[in-house]
Amino acid sequence: MSAASGTAPAGDPPGGRRALAVWGIGVCVYFVAVIFRTSLGVAGLDAADRFGVNASALSTFSILQLLVYAGMQIPVGLLVDRLGTKRVLGIGVVLFTAGQLGFAFSPSYGMALASRALLGCGDAMTFISVLRLGTRWFPARRGPLVGQLAGLAGMAGNLVSTLVLARLLHGVGWTAAFAGSAVAGAVVFVLLVLFLQDHPEGHEPASAPHRGAAYVRRQITASWREPGTRLGLWVHFTTQFPAMVFLLLWGMPFLVEAQGLSRSTAGELLTLVVLSNMGFGLLYGQIVARHHGARLPLALGTVAATALLWAATLAYPADTAPMWLLVVLCAVLGACGPASMIGFDFARPANPPERQGTASGITNMGGFVASMVTLFAVGVLLDATGGAYSVAFSAVFVIQAFGVAQILRLRRRAARRERERLVASRVETVHVPA
């Protein structure tokens, strides 16, 4: 590829053990961030009792956290493009660890809200950084699988929240459980400072001028103009939120209060969502890496299956759904996270290396905006209907329908633009002297 393309002349990163070790440190940071992010999911009922709040106020914890997270995505993408992965991840670790500690010692609802906002700010800096780290250390053909593996590590963090933090919470109490978990943040910070590198030697990114507001506008505008970036955002928006809402806050109350399950049984079903997510992550990553055309069918198929299972559960004629149906629902919800990762596989080829952070930030906003809206809608509807979960969770279908409409609107334009880029790159390669 010519130097005029703006890419480093060294070509594709080689990958290998060194790449795996460095990338693994970034993944560990993301793993801890997800533990902290999802810790409220297993503590929702306890938080309601501790701070004396209703469903709407309880949902505000997660809504504020996601609002900060979503609002930070484009700024974080710009920071990653400008400052590099190590600096942004370091700032993120400090912020989300401080937020988790603050939540542990919060004596009031207001202080707890501020702590979750701080946590969301730090959490927002992790995933985009890990995606960027993967593109810097691994060959492009490994991108889909590396992205899915990063998502899988995040779900492993969710598993820790479900299995370990939940037991600590009811064993040692609120303060000890949340403060003790914050130690993990200090550990990954030390690993990051000592061992993480932004890129392998000889694969430094091409320098780009940074001219304040003009640079910011240029990066955002150029990324947004690409149909692949916008399609990636709407794929992420439509696929991620059903599982996020379920795991982050409303799954445990729904299973305990609406379905009459014990907390332990509900916890096992939440664990099933996480385990299913990990399995689907490996499967989707392999499929997309080998069959690029499978991206949209996988995403839309996941949306259809999720809607079908939610409809069957909420409309079941008895007072509670049978256990087999809840098991199938949770297994299918596990596909939502891996399907959302497909959004990055539309945005990645649509943007040059110097815009990858910005484009990933735009894409990553989608699912968290959808989750935030749904969390709020479920909380309001629960309060308005006196706890009618069948009505409250119907908000899922409205958000899915809106997202699918956007995907169908953009799919042809994005596919045409991607083909044009592929042809142009082949022509350019032919004209580069050996």
Side-chain angles (χ1 to χ4, degrees), residues 105-197:
F105 294 101
S106 293
S108 65
Y109 177 68
M111 186 173 289
L113 276 177
S115 297
R116 295 308 286 187
L118 187 63
L119 193 157
C121 187
D123 181 20
M125 298 183 175
T126 58
F127 188 63
I128 301 251
S129 298
V130 172
L131 287 180
R132 176 61 172 267
L133 202 61
T135 62
R136 290 299 188 199
W137 281 89
F138 291 96
R141 68 181 183 277
R142 302 291 186 191
L145 182 58
V146 169
Q148 289 287 358
L149 289 175
L152 188 151
M155 292 310 298
N158 203 326
L159 190 63
V160 170
S161 288
T162 305
L163 295 179
V164 179
L165 191 59
R167 293 184 180 180
L168 282 175
L169 188 64
H170 298 110
V172 300
W174 178 281
T175 300
F178 281 101
S181 67
V183 174
V187 173
V188 294
F189 181 76
V190 172
L191 291 175
L192 183 154
V193 170
L194 294 179
F195 302 113
L196 192 133
Q197 292 179 242

Side-chain angles (χ1 to χ4, degrees), residues 256-321:
V256 173
E257 297 177 354
Q259 299 301 316
L261 302 181
S262 66
R263 284 199 180 200
S264 61
T265 304
E268 291 171 358
L269 287 175
L270 294 179
T271 303
L272 174 61
V273 177
V274 177
L275 293 175
S276 174
N277 184 295
M278 297 169 77
F280 275 111
L282 291 173
L283 178 63
Y284 281 17
Q286 292 285 355
I287 292 174
V288 173
R290 296 177 183 179
H291 307 286
H292 219 48
R295 291 172 298 172
L296 205 55
L298 281 177
L300 292 176
T302 301
V303 173
T306 304
L308 178 64
L309 266 298
W310 262 122
T313 302
L314 297 178
Y316 197 79
D319 291 337
T320 59

Side-chain angles (χ1 to χ4, degrees), residues 376-401:
F376 176 75
V378 170
V380 169
L381 289 171
L382 282 175
D383 284 339
T385 60
Y389 280 90
S390 59
V391 175
F393 272 105
S394 295
V396 169
F397 307 121
V398 177
I399 305 299
Q400 284 183 321

Side-chain angles (χ1 to χ4, degrees), residues 198-209:
D198 284 339
H199 48 73
E201 293 182 8
H203 291 269
E204 293 82 2
S207 59

